[in-house]
Amino acid sequence: MIEEIKKVEEQWIKEQLELKKKLILKNELSFNPETLENLKRIGGVDISFFKEDPNKAVASLIVLDYPSFNIIYEDNEIVPLTLPYIAGFLAFREVPAIEKLYKKLVEKDKENEESKLPQVIFVDGNGYLHPRQFGFACHLGVILDIPTIGVGKNFLVIEDGVEMSMSYVKNKWKTETLPQHKDRQPLIGKSKTLYGYAIKSNETTTNPIFVSIGHKIDINTAIKIVLKTCVKRVPEPIRQADLRSRKCVREILKSHK
DNA sequence: GCGACAG
DNA sequence: ATCTTGTCGC
C-alpha cells in the first residue's frame, strides 16, 4: 500500500515537471501591470467538502468586477473527488473540478454580449511556493492557459535550508518584522530561489498570507493585486468562492435530511 | 527512524 | 479541509 502511493507520487512528480516546462513567469496580461488599468474581472476558485463524504465536494468558480467587487458570475457544482489530498500534490485532487467549471464558463461566454471571462484567477493554495516550484496555482494556470495567483493561508515547508522551515519563517515574522499593514517578507531558500512572500494583508490580521505566482504574472504584479483586493485577510475573490461553496454544502445538507 | 505536511 | 459559540477588544 505504501509502495503504491510512492509509485503514484513518482508519476505525479514527472507530470509536474513536464507541465512546468509550459510555465510562464513573466507578465502576459490583458491589463496594465503598473496601473491595473483595464483590469475588470478577477476570478476566484475554491472547494468545500462534506465532512461525512470525503469523496464529495462543492466546487465554486466566481468572477468579481474590479474594483467594485460585485459578483458578475457564480457557479457552484457538486463534484466527486477521487484522489486523496497529499501535500505537494493538491492540484491532482482539485484541478479537474475547477477545469470543468471554467470550461462551462467559456461555453456560456460565447452567448454573452460582454465577456465574463476572468483576466486573472486567484487560487486557494500555493503556486511557485512549492517543493518543485509548481503548486496548484501554477498547475491550474498552465492547464487553463490563464494568469493565476496562488494564496496560501498556511506555510508549506520546503526543503531548501532552514530559511524555508516552519519555525524560521514564523519566528522571523513574529520578531524581525513586527508587521505593519502591507509589510512583506520574502521567502527565499538556501538556493537563493524566491518562492513568494509572506504578507500582512490587512491592518487587523496578525497572521500573514503566503502569496506566490501561478502563471503568466510576476510576483510584484501579483502582490499589487492581492493588496488591492484584500478587504479581509484573504483576497475577496477567494473569500467569496469560499463563502459560496460552504453555503452550498450547508444547503445541500439541509435539503437532503 | 521520526516528524512535517497548501487544501 | 472539518469539528464550532461565545466572547474579548477596538
Side-chain angles (χ1 to χ4, degrees):
Chain A
M1 200 62 172
I2 306 282
E3 292 301 318
E4 295 301 320
I5 292 175
K6 267 192 173 177
K7 268 194 168 179
V8 170
E9 287 191 8
E10 275 177 30
Q11 180 57 36
W12 282 351
I13 288 172
K14 281 182 191 167
E15 288 184 40
Q16 285 178 334
L17 296 179
E18 195 57 37
L19 282 172
K20 190 181 170 184
K21 292 176 182 170
K22 297 182 183 175
L23 185 64
I24 295 169
L25 305 175
K26 63 182 176 63
N27 285 333
E28 285 189 12
L29 305 165
S30 57
F31 54 90
N32 186 321
E34 299 299 325
T35 61
L36 302 191
E37 186 187 343
N38 207 35
L39 174 59
K40 311 286 186 197
R41 300 173 309 277
I42 306 178
V45 295
D46 191 35
I47 294 182
S48 291
F49 300 82
F50 294 87
K51 54 178 181 178
E52 65 281 345
D53 260 300
N55 300 329
K56 204 166 75 173
V58 171
S60 294
L61 165 64
I62 65 145
V63 182
L64 299 186
D65 175 72
Y66 182 83
S68 73
F69 298 143
N70 290 330
I71 294 177
I72 60 171
Y73 180 83
E74 172 181 4
D75 187 17
N76 310 288
E77 193 176 314
I78 301 176
V79 294
L81 292 177
T82 47
L83 303 173
Y85 165 70
I86 302 173
F89 304 97
L90 176 62
F92 293 91
R93 178 166 161 84
E94 300 200 353
V95 161
I98 304 299
E99 187 183 3
K100 188 180 170 193
L101 294 194
Y102 182 75
K103 285 186 172 165
K104 203 157 89 180
L105 168 55
V106 171
E107 278 307 307
K108 284 185 194 170
D109 207 60
K110 291 173 181 171
E111 302 158 15
N112 292 344
E113 203 142 309
E114 255 184 78
S115 175
K116 292 182 176 179
L117 291 180
Q119 295 163 285
V120 57
I121 294 180
F122 273 98
V123 176
D124 191 13
N126 298 321
Y128 206 73
L129 175 51
H130 180 272
R132 288 164 294 282
Q133 298 84 55
F134 197 74
F136 184 14
C138 300
H139 198 130
L140 185 70
V142 167
I143 293 288
L144 301 184
D145 192 31
I146 185 175
T148 51
I149 299 171
V151 178
K153 296 183 283 292
N154 295 96
F155 181 66
L156 174 62
V157 175
I158 290 168
E159 289 181 35
D160 191 1
V162 288
E163 296 92 335
M164 293 301 289
S165 70
M166 183 73 80
S167 56
Y168 181 91
V169 170
K170 279 190 175 172
N171 190 52
K172 187 172 181 181
W173 182 258
K174 218 167 68 176
T175 59
E176 272 188 38
T177 329
L178 271 185
Q180 301 291 308
H181 180 35
K182 297 185 180 179
D183 262 2
R184 63 193 70 175
Q185 174 186 128
L187 303 166
I188 303 173
K190 192 181 182 183
S191 67
K192 308 294 180 193
T193 303
L194 173 64
Y195 292 95
Y197 283 83
I199 295 179
K200 182 178 172 67
S201 56
N202 189 287
E203 290 94 335
T204 56
T205 59
T206 53
N207 293 327
I209 56 173
F210 301 90
V211 177
S212 60
I213 59 167
H215 185 53
K216 290 188 167 181
I217 193 164
D218 67 39
I219 188 64
N220 290 325
T221 309
I223 290 174
K224 189 177 295 175
I225 302 175
V226 163
L227 292 175
K228 290 276 190 188
T229 54
C230 278
V231 182
K232 305 279 187 156
R233 180 165 90 112
V234 171
E236 216 39 33
I238 292 178
R239 201 175 74 90
Q240 288 301 330
D242 181 58
L243 290 172
R244 304 282 163 150
S245 57
R246 297 168 94 102
K247 188 180 170 194
C248 279
V249 168
R250 276 203 315 272
E251 287 174 355
I252 290 164
L253 234 44
K254 199 178 257 184
S255 66
H256 196 277
K257 291 181 179 177

